[in-house]
Amino acid sequence: MDIFDILGPVMVGPSSSHTAGAARIGFMARTLLGSRPLTARIHLHGSFAETGAGHGTDRALVGGLLGMKPDDLRIPFAFEEAKKQGLDYTIDEIELPDAHPNTAVIDVDGEGGTHLLMQASSLGGGRIMVNKLDGIDVNFTGAYNTLVIHNQDENGAVAMVTGLLNQLGVNVANMTLCRRKRGGDALMVIETDQHLLLHQVDFLRHLEGILSITYYDKEDDDDGSQFDA
Amino acid sequence: MALNSMREIFDQMAEQRLAFWEVVLAYDVDERQVSPEESKAKILLTWQAMRDAADAYTGQRRSLSGLVGGDGMKMRQYNLRGESMLGEYVSAVIAEALSMAESNACMCRIVAAPTAGACGVLPAVLLPLDLNQRQILEALYTASGIGAVIAARASIAGAEGGCQAEIGTASAMAAGALVAIRGGSGEQIGHAVAMALKNLMGLVCDPVAGLVEVPCVKRNVIGAVNAVSAADMAMAGIQSRIPVDEVIEAMGQVGRRMPVEFRETALGGLANTPTGRAVKERMQAARKR
Ligand code: SF4
């Protein structure tokens, strides 16, 4: 156990699950989208739908999409901020079978024609879990640095990426592979112990058979107070 | 090493000749693979965030539901007028607990300790004291060690164990922290924790409309004041007849047997009063629009 899970996180209230976790989900979606979000359709399930407005879950999700971390003082004003930054969003309710009570689905289009469909839940204490990406089941938490790689399902793509990471001195903590059908597009989620540098991610991006890569850099191990106002 | 029981911490204290807080510091250094300096720097930043949160309070903000806001300022003014029945310290503790918990409800920045709902308890008992850096370290490491033990043996989430697990744990952390900075022994820290938890055992989690507002803000006050009394009793040499680890265990059991209505579902207690239900309906009508 990390004692800073007891004394922390430093966050904008009122709820670590409904506010801090929601901001992390939004931030994760922005990161995995890989560009500035332009239009977002946000669907809330379970307790997120029922008590989300009172907990600022909606604002926190939009704030996260705008790049705000859970301690960002602009979260309560995320709707106004979205207008300023040109993000169009809609928020409604959805019923998902067998989903965690605090779950959101974010369907977002970004600059340069990017698109992401992500389902994620807030597990408590601000911790989150991404459950689905573009219709494919996944599970990762953002507790590690995370590479999300779309590749052609050809022999060798996995070995090539992990081999290169190894050469870069990057340790793979967890890895999941999913594909829609044999020989089609596949999705690789790789969690690493070390941070990757931008040019290293870029290098992987240009490998043969890689369709797209997004990289989530684990939240820094500080108090995150860079947003002091 | 793990923080699985208070006994383990006491044993480490004896074996390594360390203070309670130093055992927790050593644990963090080992757990996160950082240097003692890095660990201390991080906990001091956490303290700074608590102070900033207290300084930022104006009493002007209201929660999204409109139920909460402004009471911390009322209490501060009442104290300033010298009308409080309590001494200077405890009346300041009450004002601080209200202010911090309101800040949380009003979407200001706070430090969860151990949760956002209970964020007012620990800073409320510490901020009114003029602490030096060493005392801050003693207080915060002690408090987080206590919270870690309770999280491991029982629970710190209202949804799992009721409010006794949230405000109760915060109160135990605060009580132990106070004993630590006043030079109490490890045993005395243990007794303070035990007494603080015992006195809040069975407290249900019943937030109106499911929001961390009513009764949460004022529950931070009882958590803080209870901590001060438990710490004072322990410093006076009063002991808990039930050992602290058994008390923690019992709290966990009570939580597990608590009906689901009393575990953050907003189906029982104050949430299920006519007024509580009316607030919920009002919030739901707003949601439909
Ligand atoms: S009533 Fe429930 S939500 Fe409110 S402070 Fe207590 S445990 Fe937290």
Side-chain angles (χ1 to χ4, degrees):
Chain A
M1 174 169 318
D2 184 341
I3 61 165
F4 291 98
D5 284 340
I6 301 290
L7 218 57
V10 179
M11 54 169 273
V12 164
S15 159
S16 57
S17 55
H18 286 67
T19 323
R24 287 213 171 108
I25 289 174
F27 190 89
M28 178 63 84
R30 179 194 178 98
T31 309
L32 300 185
L33 177 69
S35 69
R36 195 168 71 90
L38 299 174
T39 54
R41 293 152 297 277
I42 300 173
H43 312 292
L44 305 176
H45 163 80
S47 174
F48 264 18
E50 263 159 53
T51 64
H55 280 127
T57 306
D58 41 11
R59 292 163 203 259
L61 284 164
V62 170
L65 274 171
L66 294 170
M68 299 179 199
K69 297 268 177 79
D71 71 334
D72 196 311
L73 290 170
R74 297 170 302 168
I75 286 178
F77 317 105
F79 294 163
E80 293 79 4
E81 196 66 28
K83 267 205 195 94
K84 271 194 237 159
Q85 298 194 26
L87 168 65
D88 269 330
Y89 60 88
T90 58
I91 299 170
D92 58 20
E93 298 179 14
I94 189 172
E95 262 182 61
L96 302 165
D98 304 323
H100 185 282
N102 298 328
T103 296
V105 174
I106 300 184
D107 183 357
V108 54
D109 294 299
E111 223 167 39
T114 54
H115 175 255
L116 178 84
L117 179 62
M118 179 181 105
Q119 178 180 320
S121 350
S122 177
L123 306 179
R127 288 168 301 118
I128 66 164
M129 168 88 81
V130 180
N131 314 115
K132 275 183 207 259
L133 277 182
D134 301 318
I136 301 176
D137 287 334
V138 293
N139 57 61
F140 58 93
T141 61
Y144 293 91
N145 306 298
T146 309
L147 278 165
V148 175
I149 304 177
H150 284 270
N151 61 296
Q152 284 161 349
D153 179 25
E154 283 160 352
N155 293 340
V158 176
M160 188 167 55
V161 171
T162 51
L164 272 168
L165 288 175
N166 193 16
Q167 279 178 30
L168 294 171
V170 173
N171 196 36
V172 173
N174 301 294
M175 180 162 107
T176 38
L177 303 168
C178 332
R179 61 183 175 199
R180 271 184 261 244
K181 56 179 192 294
R182 194 179 287 266
D185 290 1
L187 183 73
M188 223 186 307
V189 177
I190 300 179
E191 297 181 303
T192 69
D193 287 330
Q194 288 78 19
H195 293 276
L196 271 84
L197 301 171
L198 271 182
H199 73 266
Q200 296 175 325
V201 179
D202 254 350
F203 184 69
L204 294 172
R205 183 170 289 130
H206 292 111
L207 292 176
E208 212 184 298
I210 303 293
L211 302 174
S212 71
I213 290 194
T214 47
Y215 171 65
Y216 174 83
D217 206 39
K218 181 178 89 151
E219 259 175 54
D220 272 344
D221 221 6
D222 59 22
D223 74 332
S225 58
Q226 64 270 34
F227 295 111
D228 267 335
Chain B
M1 188 212 157
L3 298 177
N4 286 330
S5 69
M6 294 291 282
R7 170 64 33 217
E8 261 175 73
I9 299 180
F10 299 152
D11 290 347
Q12 290 282 323
M13 289 172 68
E15 251 171 59
Q16 322 263 343
R17 299 187 161 273
L18 295 174
F20 191 105
W21 74 274
E22 291 170 313
V23 174
V24 183
L25 167 63
Y27 168 82
D28 185 49
V29 164
D30 183 54
E31 172 74 15
R32 294 192 302 119
Q33 295 290 307
V34 293
S35 68
E37 288 66 37
E38 286 170 319
S39 175
K40 287 182 195 168
K42 182 162 179 178
I43 216 161
L44 289 173
L45 278 172
T46 307
W47 172 250
Q48 191 57 46
M50 284 181 176
R51 292 188 50 165
D52 289 347
D55 290 345
Y57 178 78
T58 60
Q60 297 299 311
R61 295 264 285 248
R62 295 295 176 268
S63 64
L64 287 171
S65 76
L67 289 175
V68 162
D71 287 346
M73 191 50 82
K74 276 192 194 144
M75 196 68 211
R76 285 181 191 201
Q77 284 164 348
Y78 177 78
N79 291 346
L80 278 176
R81 293 197 300 271
E83 292 177 29
S84 171
M85 290 186 284
L86 299 156
E88 209 180 309
Y89 172 61
V90 180
S91 51
V93 167
I94 294 177
E96 205 55 74
L98 289 169
S99 308
M100 191 66 79
E102 267 178 23
S103 292
N104 177 59
C106 299
M107 298 189 81
C108 299
R109 189 195 288 148
I110 53 85
V111 181
T115 61
C119 72
V121 176
L122 180 63
V125 305
L126 298 180
L127 287 168
L129 301 170
D130 192 15
L131 301 178
N132 60 36
Q133 179 159 320
R134 174 168 171 109
Q135 291 172 312
I136 294 163
L137 294 173
E138 285 171 349
L140 297 187
Y141 279 108
T142 302
S144 50
I146 293 164
V149 170
I150 299 176
R153 288 184 89 85
S155 167
I156 58 167
E160 279 169 24
C163 202
Q164 56 160 11
E166 235 175 74
I167 293 288
T169 301
S171 189
M173 290 163 60
L178 286 175
V179 173
I181 52 182
R182 296 175 68 205
S185 66
E187 297 290 325
Q188 282 174 309
I189 292 174
H191 288 301
V193 168
M195 288 187 279
L197 276 183
K198 289 199 297 189
N199 294 353
L200 291 173
M201 191 170 292
L203 191 63
V204 300
C205 170
D206 51 352
V208 167
L211 304 175
V212 194
E213 301 188 10
V214 178
C216 316
V217 169
K218 290 162 195 141
R219 290 247 170 99
N220 277 264
V221 174
I222 190 57
V225 174
N226 179 52
V228 176
S229 351
D232 254 349
M233 283 194 278
M235 290 309 287
I238 298 171
Q239 304 193 334
S240 168
R241 298 290 174 232
I242 311 291
V244 58
D245 283 317
E246 292 182 36
V247 172
I248 296 173
E249 203 73 48
M251 187 274 268
Q253 274 174 26
V254 169
R256 284 189 288 279
R257 303 204 52 179
M258 204 175 261
V260 68
E261 285 83 354
F262 301 134
R263 286 188 278 120
E264 213 177 273
T265 51
L267 296 170
L270 296 169
N272 196 30
T273 54
T275 304
R277 286 197 305 267
V279 172
K280 185 173 178 180
E281 275 156 30
R282 179 162 64 74
M283 291 300 288
Q284 273 176 344
R287 166 186 158 204
K288 296 267 146 53
R289 266 191 279 118

